[in-house]
Amino acid sequence: MKTFTLDVDYECDFALFGLVSSTRDYTLAWTLNRALRLRLIKQPELLLNLLTEGRLVFTHYLHATETLTFRLLRNRSIAPSNLKKPFLAPDIKEYDYLLAVSNGCGDLADEELLHRLTALDAVQYACQFDPNSLKYKENLIL
């Protein structure tokens, strides 16, 4: 019997920031809400069901308006896993959280936002990535 594989190439149209922070996810969401005047609200956990390895569970916060969307995602699974790398984006496993921003402008444009993120006490380090260059970018498409 022949098997077929489906190869799909996704284009990501959002800015992606990696954040290193030792704080809990709800504390980081609260800090971002205050600093950036957002309203990040906890969403149901993001589940990744891997066929042979089991499932991964990630916390997920969302701020969405008509023109702007912020998603704060924990990069490491909160559920126990047998995987060697239980990350949402294993390419950038050094980062504790991922912040995906769609249509950021003005005070929330990429360079200004990166500057504001690094100025926060709760964030030890922040970096911007091109999501299209990541090997596991399909994990970030929600």
Side-chain angles (χ1 to χ4, degrees):
M1 179 177 194
K2 288 186 179 181
T3 58
F4 296 98
T5 58
L6 178 64
D7 289 330
V8 179
D9 191 24
Y10 296 103
E11 282 298 317
C12 300
D13 62 345
F14 54 85
L16 182 66
F17 298 89
L19 306 175
V20 175
S21 177
S22 59
T23 61
R24 300 238 183 224
D25 51 24
Y26 54 85
T27 306
L28 183 60
W30 180 80
T31 303
L32 292 173
N33 283 342
R34 292 199 50 177
L36 303 176
R37 295 187 181 138
L38 300 175
R39 188 175 161 104
L40 288 166
I41 299 172
K42 186 168 173 57
Q43 302 297 306
E45 278 83 15
L46 176 65
L47 300 174
L48 269 173
N49 287 316
L50 306 174
L51 295 176
T52 57
E53 290 89 8
R55 72 178 195 165
L56 300 175
V57 181
F58 304 97
T59 55
H60 174 220
Y61 290 81
L62 175 68
H63 166 85
T65 63
E66 292 177 5
T67 58
L68 178 69
T69 303
F70 270 76
R71 291 186 189 279
L72 178 65
L73 300 157
R74 185 174 181 90
N75 195 21
R76 186 178 187 91
S77 177
I78 58 174
S81 174
N82 296 333
L83 283 176
K84 197 173 187 180
K85 297 179 183 178
F87 297 98
L88 183 61
D91 320 38
I92 50 176
K93 64 182 178 189
E94 300 81 19
Y95 295 89
D96 301 311
Y97 297 95
L98 304 174
L99 184 65
V101 182
S102 297
N103 301 326
C105 62
D107 287 347
L108 300 175
D110 296 349
E111 288 296 321
E112 179 62 26
L113 181 59
L114 184 60
H115 178 69
R116 291 177 73 179
L117 289 171
T118 54
L120 296 174
D121 290 337
V123 177
Q124 283 82 35
Y125 183 74
C127 185
Q128 184 175 3
F129 296 97
D130 177 16
N132 292 311
S133 68
L134 298 177
K135 182 177 178 184
Y136 297 96
K137 66 182 175 184
E138 64 273 358
N139 292 354
L140 303 174
I141 298 174
L142 304 174

